[in-house]
Amino acid sequence: MSYGLLKGKKGIIFGALNEQSIAWKVAERCHEEGAEFILSNAPIAMRMGELNSLAEKTGSEVIGADATSIEDLEKLFDAAVAKFGKIDFILHSIGMSVNVRKGKHYTEMNYDWLEKGWDVSAVSFHKVMRVAWEKDCMNEWGSILALTYIAAQRTFPDYNDMSDNKAYLESIARTFGNYWGERKVRVNTVSQSPTPTTAGSGVKGFGGFLGYAEDMSPLGNATALDCANYCVTLFSDLTKKVTMQNLFHDGGFSSSGVTQKVISKYDTEN
């Protein structure tokens, strides 16, 4: 069902790779709600993914950009301004850890790999906002979002340096969000349930993450489509005064000490 929440709004969506991507679902829902947008991803990710089919489905233009490259981002935002004028929303759905991919334990960190993952997963968010800031290309009451995970606050085995990356990402949202407030633009992060995306499934023990979170969440895990619906509300005019927040979208996981489902698995008295 469409409510026309984003009718007339323009934006840029970073990070759609395939149909499992949260950014892919966000793009579909934004299109259904009336938005127009540019789809962007790193050139190597675009070769791996199926972005052209999403572009065709949503009537969108695809512009490749390495989000760690100021030069690439400048070209992307120039193209967006030429196409739309000022824009209303940005989604940063980008994350990568070489240490996770290569199975390097946190206690044996490869720091060159750490630096690369940190740049891709967190610093790129600052770079995206910096270029948007310098080009003054956001409309008033615009919305900038990045996707994160509760591992920024809690320890999860094998999430590795992505925990540190997400913590820095959230800090960037708060700090830069303060400045964006001067221009009546809001900046938030969404802490989503573990979701079986290409990136998420690469974490060792992901199936255990998923099952535990399901049992610990009173409403169950939020799906990629659930997250997309939430992002739509955060791009809409209904949330104009929400900024500098890390917003938990996880079925109640973040507020649960323990649930009866989990207790039952360890209750040896019955």
Side-chain angles (χ1 to χ4, degrees):
M1 181 181 293
S2 173
Y3 303 92
L5 289 176
L6 303 182
K7 185 176 180 180
K9 293 194 180 296
K10 323 290 186 183
I12 300 174
I13 295 175
F14 289 91
L17 182 67
N18 53 38
E19 290 186 347
Q20 283 70 52
S21 305
I22 293 174
W24 188 290
K25 301 297 185 188
V26 172
E28 290 179 332
R29 287 295 294 119
C30 286
H31 172 66
E32 291 165 0
E33 293 296 334
E36 297 177 67
F37 45 84
I38 290 170
L39 296 165
S40 187
N41 210 328
I44 187 170
M46 289 171 62
R47 290 194 294 270
M48 294 166 55
E50 305 143 22
L51 203 52
N52 287 335
S53 64
L54 178 62
E56 184 176 350
K57 181 177 182 180
T58 59
S60 304
E61 183 177 357
V62 177
I63 301 178
D66 177 352
T68 67
S69 166
I70 293 292
E71 182 180 359
D72 278 13
L73 290 171
E74 287 176 340
K75 291 177 181 177
L76 170 62
F77 278 94
D78 283 343
V81 170
K83 185 179 181 70
F84 297 133
K86 289 194 174 187
I87 62 175
D88 303 286
F89 65 89
I90 298 171
L91 176 71
H92 179 284
S93 181
I94 303 170
M96 183 277 295
S97 166
V98 183
N99 282 292
V100 169
R101 285 184 180 179
K102 293 184 178 292
K104 185 65 100 173
H105 196 270
Y106 189 82
T107 60
E108 301 170 343
M109 191 71 66
N110 180 307
Y111 296 110
D112 291 333
W113 296 350
L114 168 67
E115 191 171 326
K116 177 63 177 176
W118 176 70
D119 195 19
V120 171
S121 304
V123 181
S124 66
F125 189 41
H126 191 284
K127 291 177 179 178
V128 165
M129 287 196 284
R130 172 185 167 182
V131 173
W133 177 272
E134 290 177 346
K135 293 186 178 295
D136 192 20
C137 64
M138 294 293 295
N139 278 320
E140 283 195 356
W141 306 113
S143 178
I144 302 173
L145 284 182
L147 298 182
T148 186
Y149 183 54
I150 196 173
Q153 290 86 33
R154 301 184 190 175
T155 300
F156 288 82
D158 298 312
Y159 201 64
N160 211 311
D161 55 337
M162 279 303 299
S163 297
D164 304 327
N165 294 339
K166 293 299 189 185
Y168 190 59
L169 178 82
E170 292 173 18
S171 181
I172 288 170
R174 287 186 294 272
T175 306
F176 220 145
N178 176 58
Y179 297 102
W180 274 112
E182 299 168 8
R183 299 184 183 179
K184 301 294 188 290
V185 174
R186 56 208 194 267
V187 181
N188 295 289
T189 53
V190 173
S191 183
Q192 166 70 358
S193 298
T195 309
T197 61
T198 300
S201 299
V203 176
K204 183 180 176 183
F206 180 77
F209 269 52
L210 202 64
Y212 175 70
E214 178 72 21
D215 287 348
M216 279 288 290
S217 305
L219 294 180
N221 288 332
T223 67
L225 178 57
D226 292 329
C227 187
N229 286 327
Y230 190 43
C231 289
V232 164
T233 69
L234 293 168
F235 291 150
S236 79
D237 292 337
L238 300 177
T239 53
K240 281 184 174 181
K241 294 298 180 77
V242 180
T243 196
M244 298 163 63
Q245 302 299 308
N246 181 46
L247 301 163
F248 289 100
H249 185 255
D250 58 10
F253 178 90
S254 52
S255 293
S256 297
V258 70
T259 60
Q260 191 59 48
K261 281 185 180 180
V262 174
I263 289 173
S264 297
K265 290 187 176 182
Y266 293 93
D267 188 355
T268 58
E269 296 179 5
N270 296 314

